[in-house]
Amino acid sequence: MNFLARSMVSGARSCLTSSIAGSKLQLTRLCANPGIQGNVLTTTNSYIGSLIQGLQIRLGSSLRRLHLFGPYKKYKKKKNPLDGKPFAKGVVIQTVIRKPKKPNSANRKCVIVRLSTGKEMVAFIPGEGHNLQEHNMVLCRPGKIKDTPGVKIRCVRGKYDLPQVIKETR
């Protein structure tokens, strides 16, 4: 007998003994009226048989479920960097250029912003070109840049001091 089988048998034996010890009162009540329930031996045998059968079904199904689906994982809720708000106004502290992760190479134009919530964060400026300087006002929204670590918010174009992208005419 391998280790798993031995541990299963010992676990079942301990559960069975504790179940029988805990339900002695119920078993004596069942066996008190042999006329209604039958004789003591058959009542005890049926009770123990149902306990064993229930134990096998429960252990087998949970082990099978664990084998198929793995351990239970809690759902992770997405965290909003703006404390649940859809937008936040911010003041530009500094303009910076961030480099993306490995396969990508185009530098990302970002700004360090002091938000109205009190946080200082790095915000991405979408589109081509910008004229942001220190002390300019921007509107920020949550939006992660996948290839740039640490950038979790974006600036909104066309609001406050960040103008729309200028369309190039040829």
Side-chain angles (χ1 to χ4, degrees):
M1 216 190 276
N2 63 7
F3 176 74
L4 181 63
R6 268 187 278 145
S7 62
M8 288 289 289
V9 168
S10 64
R13 190 178 294 132
S14 66
C15 285
L16 190 61
T17 54
S18 65
S19 296
I20 290 172
S23 60
K24 240 183 219 177
L25 186 65
Q26 187 180 358
L27 200 57
T28 53
R29 214 178 325 113
L30 280 171
C31 299
N33 294 330
I36 299 168
Q37 294 291 333
N39 64 12
V40 174
L41 188 61
T42 55
T43 308
T44 310
N45 282 344
S46 65
Y47 187 74
I48 291 172
S50 66
L51 269 176
I52 291 171
Q53 187 180 4
L55 188 67
Q56 281 176 340
I57 290 167
R58 269 184 269 136
L59 284 175
S61 65
S62 65
L63 282 175
R64 180 160 172 74
R65 198 176 302 119
L66 276 172
H67 173 69
L68 290 174
F69 305 114
Y72 173 74
K73 292 181 188 89
K74 242 182 177 177
Y75 174 70
K76 207 174 199 181
K77 206 170 112 177
K78 284 189 179 179
K79 190 148 193 278
N80 187 343
L82 303 178
D83 300 329
K85 297 171 184 161
F87 296 99
K89 192 175 177 180
V91 180
V92 175
I93 296 172
Q94 184 182 359
T95 58
V96 290
I97 292 174
R98 291 286 161 106
K99 290 183 170 65
K101 283 198 250 181
K102 192 66 182 257
N104 299 335
S105 60
N107 292 333
R108 310 283 181 241
K109 277 62 175 182
C110 302
V111 287
I112 299 174
V113 180
R114 181 176 288 119
L115 298 171
S116 56
T117 57
K119 293 181 180 179
E120 283 188 18
M121 298 187 84
V122 180
F124 174 68
I125 304 165
E128 292 179 15
H130 69 87
N131 59 357
L132 284 180
Q133 298 172 349
E134 199 176 342
H135 305 303
N136 282 12
M137 300 295 290
V138 287
L139 187 69
C140 297
R141 67 175 177 85
K144 191 175 167 190
I145 312 298
K146 278 187 180 178
D147 64 358
T148 314
V151 181
K152 295 174 185 163
I153 58 175
R154 297 171 184 246
C155 295
V156 178
R157 299 292 304 233
K159 204 75 175 145
Y160 303 130
D161 295 331
L162 183 60
Q164 288 284 357
V165 178
I166 298 156
K167 190 174 179 181
E168 190 178 298
T169 54
R170 292 182 186 202

